[in-house]
Amino acid sequence: MDKKATLKLPDGGNIDFPVLSGSVGPDVVDIRALYGKTGVFTYDPGFLSTASCASTITYIDGDQGVLLYRGYPIEQLAVHCDFLEVCYLLLKGELPNQKQKDEFVSMVTNHTMVHDQINRFFTGFRRDAHPMAVLVGVVGALSAFYHDSLDISDQRHREVAAFRLIAKLPTLVAMAYKYNMGQPFVYPRNELSYTANFMRMMFAVPAEDYRTNEVLVRALDRIFILHADHEQNASTSTVRLSGSSGANPFACIAAGIACLWGPAHGGANEAALQMLDHIGDVSKIGEFIKQVKDKNSGVKLMGFGHRVYKNYDPRAKLMRETCYEVLEELGLNNDRLFKLAMALEKIALEDDYFVSRKLYPNVDFYSGIVQRALGIPVSMFTCIFALARTVGWIAQWNEMIVDPDQKIGRPRQLYKGATRRDVLPIDKR
Ligand code: ACO
């Protein structure tokens, strides 16, 4: 039997709305007809209770700490797959077999270089610009360079744009870093894997090539996998909203990067690292926790808590494991911040303040330590996130384009401003 929800109207009437069920997760009340039938809107700033679309890509159960890409648990993907397999999965819905993987890798690899004039585009920026400021500009500018993949109604154009974005983001992120450092750009080397190639473009210099280390490459690859998609978060919703007007994919991804830049979204790993630095020593944890619990202090335990996860963020567990492997490989087992992070986590997980509020470590608690150990400076952390999330943004954008229910995104409002009034002559105001 079809489920329905009944809304009691202020004038006494009742109206029924269909209730839709997904394959898993909470039902949704389909209120699309609400305004037409009743003349009222719903009010939900921050989308606390509103599904903005139907999707088949990523599923999160925040209470259980579950994250699935196309049905596969993140824990299995992080262990058994590499990032490009995960990209294939997110874009196409299934994991590739060997032949499909080889073809996909070859397509991505063939697009790693950027148009030579993009080099000159970079030089228009100040060297001390934040790399995210540069990335927003350069990715947006790709639509000025690749005119042959801008027709969003053409499936082939969309596919080529996807390959271009996934392939060129590492090149552009590395260029943003090199420009900031005052070092020459390093061109991609296509015999390397996606992630090894990125690390080389980041860290090689003309005077000295960069030798890739498999443990470190695997760690960064895992960071990419863990950040590849996270359903309808702020930046993904931004990409969808931008795309809903028919904007081209490069412009939409630039919009997603702009949204990701905000400290409430992509910037938390940097804040977690700064917090650990500020605490400084295990002996200071008690005092710090006291401050966190004091509501007037304004101090938060960064890297803890999440709007959706009310359990251990599954990505945080994987990141802690990776952190351990990387530090061991680099002979940094006694890393001060890692030890501090583990001690802080242990104390917080036993403290009633955090337990009662269901505050657990999120992915950002350990990812800053891993990236720092890999030699990635703090100012680049959000660029790394953007690189990894690009595939999720594209998969979601593609899904939206072919969705028969897709409409231009146009939220309503609760107007609380002045009602109609007349303009007075300037001497009477
Ligand atoms: N430290 C201390 N107290 C916290 C923390 C924290 N990190 N997070 C939440 N709380 C407390 C709140 O003060 C509130 O307490 P109260 O009920 O006594 O008022 C309660 O827990 C509920 O918190 P909300 O703010 O309502 O939770 P919300 O879902 O709005 O916020 C958020 C989630 C923004 C992530 C928050 O937990 C936070 O600021 N965490 C630190 C920043 C961080 O790590 N962000 C990364 C998120 S993951 C990502 O973007 C990839």
Side-chain angles (χ1 to χ4, degrees):
M1 199 184 67
D2 289 345
K3 288 191 255 183
K4 60 181 187 179
T6 304
L7 178 71
K8 213 173 180 174
L9 298 168
D11 66 8
N14 286 338
I15 181 162
D16 290 341
F17 293 98
V19 173
L20 311 178
S21 297
S23 42
V24 59
D27 288 344
V28 302
V29 181
D30 177 356
I31 51 137
R32 278 176 292 182
L34 178 70
Y35 180 63
K37 286 186 178 171
T38 67
V40 300
F41 298 137
T42 54
Y43 181 62
D44 186 16
F47 293 89
L48 296 183
S49 303
T50 300
S52 60
C53 61
S55 182
T56 60
I57 302 173
T58 292
Y59 174 73
I60 303 171
D61 181 334
D63 292 326
Q64 300 300 320
V66 170
L67 171 60
L68 311 176
Y69 293 164
R70 301 282 192 185
Y72 294 108
I74 192 69
E75 293 85 348
Q76 292 184 27
L77 293 169
V79 171
H80 299 299
C81 300
D82 63 28
F83 178 62
L84 284 186
E85 282 172 76
V86 170
C87 289
Y88 186 102
L89 172 70
L90 288 169
L91 291 169
K92 298 182 183 269
E94 297 297 335
L95 282 166
N97 60 30
Q98 191 61 52
K99 183 167 173 285
Q100 290 163 329
K101 181 177 173 183
D102 293 346
E103 281 168 11
F104 185 77
V105 170
S106 153
M107 282 304 288
V108 171
T109 306
N110 277 327
H111 285 288
T112 49
M113 280 181 66
V114 292
H115 192 290
D116 203 45
Q117 261 175 275
I118 288 180
N119 293 8
R120 278 195 258 153
F121 195 87
F122 267 92
T123 55
F125 289 99
R126 283 172 56 137
R127 290 253 183 215
D128 60 356
H130 193 287
M132 279 297 274
V134 175
L135 202 63
V136 173
V138 176
V139 172
L142 292 180
S143 42
F145 287 90
Y146 300 105
H147 295 151
D148 56 344
S149 53
L150 297 182
D151 179 0
I152 62 161
S153 63
D154 184 326
Q155 195 268 338
R156 181 67 195 143
H157 277 225
R158 294 201 303 272
E159 195 177 36
V160 173
F163 279 125
R164 284 186 166 142
L165 279 158
I166 293 166
K168 294 184 199 310
L169 249 290
T171 312
L172 295 174
V173 169
M175 287 170 87
Y177 173 63
K178 288 297 194 192
Y179 187 67
N180 186 256
M181 294 290 286
Q183 292 179 2
F185 297 139
V186 175
Y187 285 92
R189 280 273 279 274
N190 288 347
E191 75 271 20
L192 296 174
S193 72
Y194 184 85
T195 305
N197 187 26
F198 171 64
M199 290 180 84
R200 186 180 163 277
M201 287 190 287
M202 285 281 288
F203 301 123
V205 287
E208 202 173 314
D209 206 354
Y210 176 78
R211 283 222 201 120
T212 52
N213 170 320
E214 262 321 297
V215 175
L216 306 189
V217 170
R218 184 71 200 139
L220 189 57
D221 202 72
R222 182 176 274 192
I223 290 182
F224 292 165
I225 292 173
L226 300 186
H227 288 86
D229 197 47
H230 214 225
E231 51 116 314
Q232 308 311 320
N233 56 85
S235 57
T236 301
S237 298
T238 301
V239 170
R240 279 186 178 258
L241 193 57
S242 314
S244 76
S245 71
N248 76 69
F250 302 106
C252 295
I253 300 304
I257 295 173
C259 178
L260 185 73
W261 192 2
H265 193 0
N269 49 13
E270 180 175 340
L273 204 59
Q274 281 162 355
M275 173 194 75
L276 292 173
D277 241 342
H278 167 78
I279 299 171
D281 190 78
V282 177
S283 63
K284 303 267 174 57
I285 291 178
E287 198 186 309
F288 180 75
I289 295 268
K290 219 190 257 172
Q291 281 178 26
V292 170
K293 291 188 330 193
D294 172 6
K295 289 277 171 206
N296 299 320
S297 71
V299 177
K300 275 193 168 176
L301 182 48
M302 298 311 286
F304 256 65
H306 197 277
R307 170 62 61 79
V308 179
Y309 293 115
K310 301 301 169 197
N311 202 323
Y312 211 104
D313 178 342
R315 300 168 302 171
K317 271 189 203 140
L318 293 157
M319 197 45 71
R320 186 176 54 185
E321 200 179 286
T322 298
C323 198
Y324 188 78
E325 283 164 17
V326 165
L327 296 175
E328 176 139 295
E329 176 68 15
L330 295 173
L332 300 170
N333 318 46
N334 285 322
D335 181 80
R336 184 176 60 89
L337 296 191
F338 184 51
K339 283 194 156 169
L340 191 55
M342 288 205 301
L344 186 57
E345 178 191 338
K346 188 168 182 301
I347 292 170
L349 290 179
E350 286 165 359
D351 191 303
D352 186 57
Y353 175 94
F354 299 95
V355 175
S356 63
R357 289 172 177 76
K358 300 188 176 169
L359 298 172
Y360 294 89
N362 60 50
V363 65
D364 290 323
F365 195 65
Y366 288 106
S367 72
I369 302 176
V370 177
Q371 293 191 58
R372 193 189 55 141
L374 295 178
I376 298 168
V378 169
S379 62
M380 290 299 295
F381 286 2
T382 320
C383 291
I384 301 286
F385 192 164
L387 187 173
R389 184 56 58 84
T390 293
V391 65
W393 289 329
I394 297 168
Q396 302 268 353
W397 171 82
N398 248 320
E399 185 177 61
M400 181 200 65
I401 300 281
V402 297
D403 183 348
D405 282 343
Q406 191 267 327
K407 282 187 165 16
I408 184 166
R410 190 6 178 134
R412 301 295 195 150
Q413 65 170 8
L414 173 64
Y415 179 68
K416 290 179 139 185
T419 52
R420 189 193 182 286
R421 50 186 173 158
D422 293 322
V423 176
L424 293 175
I426 197 158
D427 57 333
K428 301 249 167 56
R429 286 179 219 158

